[in-house]
Amino acid sequence: MDRREALKRVGFLMGGTVSLSVASGILSGCQAPAAGGYTYQTLSATQGELVATISELIIPETDTPGARAARVHEFADLMLTEWFDVADRDHFLAGLGEIDSVAQSINGATFVDNTEEQQVAILTEMEDAALSDASGDQTPFFSMIKQLTLLGYYTSEIGASQELKYVHTAGEYRGDVPYEEIGRAYS
């Protein structure tokens, strides 16, 4: 899958909206660095764990690895460092602070220390707020982290080769194949 195809698919998954920062990163070939000993550049280690936790809730491990295994949090840090403008980066970091504040006020612990059920409840509320936000002034934090998660996951080796089904040579087009025969979408 090339970058333009990745951008189209992420845009489709996000309902047609991909921020300029995310689109710039995709078209420029932004990808997470090689595994092992990653050092955060924009996020602190605590914020990196928060992003890893949220992204794993968005794309959890099932019969395929989840967002944490795909190192989406490192990808997000790279995007924040190299492709997000200052306003978007600051907005994203403020969103991370806000989610921890909400978790503290509701459950008396940081988001990472909340139970999974509490975490999902907070994210569901944030998603509902993002969907009802019609101001259009700035992309809501939840939409930003969801974009980064989907983009980082489906452009990773895990997302493109294990979650999506890869066919090197697709052969003839058959548009009427029952989904049960395939089991996954193609990358």
Side-chain angles (χ1 to χ4, degrees):
M1 173 173 26
D2 64 20
R3 283 176 267 168
R4 290 189 189 281
E5 183 64 26
L7 181 60
K8 282 175 33 183
R9 289 182 182 199
V10 170
F12 175 74
L13 289 170
M14 296 303 301
T17 59
V18 175
S19 71
L20 183 59
S21 299
V22 170
S24 297
I26 295 171
L27 294 175
S28 300
C30 182
Q31 57 183 293
Y38 181 78
T39 302
Y40 289 105
Q41 298 173 56
T42 296
L43 299 173
S44 67
T46 302
Q47 290 170 323
E49 179 57 29
L50 179 56
V51 171
T53 301
I54 295 169
S55 62
E56 183 69 17
L57 290 167
I58 293 170
I59 302 178
E61 180 180 340
T62 56
D63 61 330
T64 58
R68 184 182 294 270
R71 301 177 25 240
V72 166
H73 50 292
E74 295 173 8
F75 174 82
D77 183 60
L78 190 64
M79 288 289 291
L80 289 166
T81 303
E82 296 186 5
W83 294 105
F84 274 47
D85 61 33
V86 173
D88 285 344
R89 183 180 315 125
D90 290 346
H91 180 62
F92 186 88
L93 295 174
L96 288 177
E98 182 183 337
I99 197 168
D100 249 350
S101 295
V102 168
Q104 282 280 1
S105 68
I106 295 174
N107 304 312
T110 64
F111 185 83
V112 171
D113 292 331
N114 280 199
T115 66
E116 185 174 320
E117 184 176 280
Q118 293 168 327
Q119 293 170 339
V120 169
I122 291 169
L123 291 181
T124 300
E125 191 169 309
M126 291 182 77
E127 182 177 32
D128 291 344
L131 292 173
S132 65
D133 182 9
S135 68
D137 295 338
Q138 196 162 29
T139 304
F141 167 74
F142 184 80
S143 298
M144 293 174 81
I145 196 162
K146 190 171 178 181
Q147 283 180 3
L148 285 174
T149 299
L150 294 174
L151 176 64
Y153 187 78
Y154 286 106
T155 57
S156 73
E157 183 176 346
I158 287 173
S161 65
Q162 294 181 41
E163 169 64 19
L164 298 175
K165 190 171 188 169
Y166 177 74
V167 176
H168 183 69
T169 305
E172 69 183 75
Y173 174 75
R174 290 181 39 213
D176 61 346
V177 177
Y179 188 75
E180 299 80 38
E181 287 182 20
I182 302 168
R184 298 198 185 282
Y186 285 100
S187 62

